[in-house]
Amino acid sequence: MQQAVTEIESYIKNIFPQLGLNKSRELVRLLFEINKKTKQTVQDILSKDKAKNFEQTKKYLLNLRYKKPDNLANIYLPKLDLNFTKQAILDGISFNPENIFIEDLSLNSPLAQRVKTKFPDKKITVFTGKFPVLKESYSERKKNLIIYTEKFDFLKPCPCTKNANCCGYNLINLGFGCLYECNYCFLQQYQNFPAIALPSNIQDFLAKVPAASFRRGHFDYVRLGSGEFTDSLLFDDITNYSADIIKFFKGRPELFEFKTKSVNIDNLLKTPAQGNIVVGWSVNPQNIISAAEPLTPSLAERLNAAAKIAKHGYKVAFHFDPVIIHKNWKDNYKNLVIEIAAKIPRGSIVWISIGTLRFNRELKKFIECRFPNNIILDEDFYLSFDGKMRYSDFERQEVYNFLKPLLEKTFPETVIYLCMERQ
Ligand code: SF4
């Protein structure tokens, strides 16, 4: 168990009683991170005889904390600001919201009717205009369900990231909020809203498609998909969006992708398959799923669902995203590739993306508070070309040089591409 921050702070204060606030915070953070990663006590990490002055001590700690501590300008050592009252609640994904809010414009929608039928005993609050103000924390978001009518945000190009090689993806945002608790999820910082919000007017989204001008990047066809602000299929037993989407795209030239970690595929299996419907699973080795993607289906469950989807006649995609560097990562990702190849017919897999873990630097504090025992922050991250925290250029290249040829060789008919990465 990691040592208490107050203990680390007093240890530094004791060694360097005159040290200024900022310098002291840097040493505290370095000691905290080394202690968390190595489980050594701070006394063992920094014995008093090694702590000669600030500069030497910082250098000494940087050498312990980072494999290549030569990129000092890009190291990020924010003030340690832990608030464990914000911790994630990992009590499952059964969804039985205490409070249901329905916008007046959505009251007569099929989605509102389905919600009323599914949760007959719940009190429904009708609202007009703005979303209700909620008192719960982000970790309690499954207590609140909001059904609303989207008015502006229908389709958009995937925002990708500054100076990256764009893959030409297009997004349709079918809702906000997710029940999974992936440690790296950007929603905990970006959205941080204590509710699951689902639009009732999916037909308005689809109506925008024919006149939209889509990008396609280096693909021969337009790709459009959901899953940016919520998992595409997690709520499909309530929303039944998949049925409307599949029907709408019948005969259309675009490929539509449901990006997911879920295995909520019953509605898809009930609907006749089409070749332009893709279900794309984000995948990781099981040890990473267990450690960093709590509440999500296991790898075996995801691959079983993918096999059923492929057998039914839909296309399948995989996203090695985020690739998380850890001990034995090469073996674990290689086994993952082997497992996919063993279970999924190669001709069914249209594309596979690879993206290494990256995040806005502000997210680091959210991860530390919500997942104090996370393993993902134990690796080395640097401020990178787009201002996000990333593994070093060297490590990212190592990942791509390992995985891309392996995937190309294993799945020769599949498009393999990098996500949010520079040229
Ligand atoms: S599945 Fe996606 S949206 Fe849901 S918690 Fe994980 S990263 Fe976030």
Side-chain angles (χ1 to χ4, degrees):
M1 192 60 196
Q2 62 214 50
Q3 224 156 340
V5 178
T6 45
E7 223 178 297
I8 300 176
E9 283 168 344
S10 47
Y11 187 68
I12 288 295
K13 199 167 174 78
N14 184 272
I15 304 179
F16 296 116
Q18 308 297 336
L19 204 60
L21 204 57
N22 289 338
K23 289 181 174 177
S24 159
R25 281 174 181 168
E26 286 191 344
L27 298 186
V28 167
R29 170 159 283 285
L30 282 166
L31 264 180
F32 167 81
E33 292 190 7
I34 298 165
N35 165 246
K36 175 179 171 295
K37 183 176 174 174
T38 65
K39 314 285 183 260
Q40 282 178 285
T41 65
V42 291
Q43 292 78 1
D44 285 343
I45 297 164
L46 181 68
S47 57
K48 289 189 180 165
D49 59 306
K50 291 217 174 78
K52 299 212 166 36
N53 58 44
F54 169 75
E55 278 72 25
Q56 276 185 12
T57 305
K58 182 176 173 184
K59 197 171 168 201
Y60 172 74
L61 292 177
L62 284 170
N63 272 302
L64 289 180
R65 173 64 185 89
Y66 289 89
K67 291 183 277 274
K68 290 195 172 194
D70 45 358
N71 201 356
L72 288 181
N74 295 331
I75 283 173
Y76 179 57
L77 301 173
K79 181 187 170 204
L80 200 53
D81 198 6
L82 302 182
N83 177 354
F84 294 138
T85 62
K86 293 182 178 169
Q87 269 191 60
I89 301 168
L90 303 177
D91 63 352
I93 57 158
S94 92
F95 189 45
N96 188 17
E98 287 172 19
N99 313 301
I100 297 177
F101 303 89
I102 302 183
E103 187 174 357
D104 51 1
L105 298 172
S106 299
L107 263 181
N108 297 321
S109 66
L111 178 58
Q113 299 316 313
R114 273 199 296 277
V115 165
K116 286 182 199 165
T117 308
K118 190 159 174 80
F119 306 109
D121 305 330
K122 303 291 172 185
K123 181 174 166 265
I124 308 270
T125 306
V126 179
F127 71 97
T128 304
K130 282 188 181 162
F131 277 10
V133 176
L134 303 170
K135 62 180 186 320
E136 287 79 12
S137 70
Y138 176 73
S139 295
E140 297 170 300
R141 62 198 178 281
K142 74 175 178 178
K143 288 185 179 171
N144 298 315
L145 171 61
I146 298 177
I147 305 299
Y148 69 101
T149 298
E150 178 59 58
K151 291 151 200 97
F152 311 105
D153 187 14
F154 294 106
L155 304 173
K156 64 177 186 190
C158 175
C160 196
T161 194
K162 222 172 27 183
N163 304 324
N165 192 21
C166 170
C167 77
Y169 203 76
N170 303 281
L171 288 168
I172 179 165
N173 281 333
L174 296 176
F176 295 88
C178 179
L179 302 179
Y180 299 138
E181 284 286 9
C182 303
N183 292 188
Y184 49 76
C185 182
F186 80 113
L187 292 178
Q188 54 194 323
Q189 178 227 342
Y190 177 84
Q191 182 207 23
N192 203 3
F193 182 62
I196 302 301
L198 301 169
S200 66
N201 55 330
I202 181 171
Q203 296 304 341
D204 292 341
F205 288 74
L206 298 174
K208 302 279 180 198
V209 172
S213 69
F214 292 115
R215 306 172 312 173
R216 59 177 67 188
H218 52 273
F219 283 79
D220 297 334
Y221 40 80
V222 167
R223 298 182 308 142
L224 177 63
S226 55
E228 188 191 20
F229 294 128
T230 181
D231 184 283
S232 296
L233 294 177
L234 179 55
F235 301 105
D236 202 54
D237 56 314
I238 302 173
T239 63
N240 207 9
Y241 290 155
S242 61
D244 290 332
I245 290 171
I246 294 167
K247 192 167 158 205
F248 174 82
F249 280 96
K250 186 164 187 188
R252 291 202 56 84
E254 304 88 4
L255 268 71
F256 185 91
E257 180 183 22
F258 296 95
K259 270 193 188 174
T260 191
K261 290 189 179 104
S262 154
V263 293
N264 197 4
I265 56 170
D266 286 357
N267 285 338
L268 282 119
L269 296 181
K270 277 188 226 151
T271 312
Q274 288 161 210
N276 64 343
I277 298 295
V278 182
V279 185
W281 272 273
S282 162
V283 283
N284 251 312
Q286 184 55 49
N287 63 315
I288 293 299
I289 291 176
S290 304
E293 298 176 352
L295 311 185
T296 63
S298 67
L299 175 64
E301 288 169 323
R302 292 181 213 181
L303 295 186
N304 287 341
K308 283 186 196 162
I309 283 291
K311 188 168 178 212
H312 193 72
Y314 296 109
K315 295 293 183 197
V316 169
F318 291 103
H319 300 283
F320 283 63
D321 197 348
V323 170
I324 292 177
I325 293 179
H326 59 283
K327 197 171 170 222
N328 298 333
W329 66 267
K330 281 190 183 169
D331 287 345
N332 292 337
Y333 280 101
K334 186 176 172 193
N335 289 336
L336 173 56
V337 173
I338 292 170
E339 233 176 303
I340 293 174
K343 287 195 172 151
I344 313 297
R346 281 158 218 222
S348 299
I349 308 174
V350 270
W351 57 75
I352 297 178
S353 72
I354 313 170
T356 46
L357 180 60
R358 66 255 173 214
F359 50 90
N360 283 335
R361 60 183 177 178
E362 291 77 21
L363 186 68
K364 183 169 175 169
K365 287 188 187 175
F366 286 79
I367 298 173
E368 285 175 334
C369 292
R370 299 195 69 244
F371 304 98
N373 298 318
N374 75 80
I375 56 154
I376 58 176
L377 295 180
D378 289 345
E379 291 302 315
D380 296 359
F381 291 93
Y382 302 90
L383 288 168
S384 193
F385 66 93
D386 55 353
K388 288 189 176 150
M389 307 293 296
R390 292 172 178 266
Y391 300 126
S392 69
D393 288 358
F394 173 82
E395 285 193 306
R396 299 205 313 287
Q397 278 192 22
E398 205 184 354
V399 168
Y400 304 135
N401 286 339
F402 176 76
L403 264 180
K404 194 161 181 282
L406 177 64
L407 288 166
E408 282 166 348
K409 193 169 157 218
T410 314
F411 305 104
E413 297 158 49
T414 301
V415 180
I416 315 287
Y417 66 97
L418 304 191
C419 183
M420 290 198 190
E421 193 50 89
R422 64 179 167 198
Q423 188 66 39

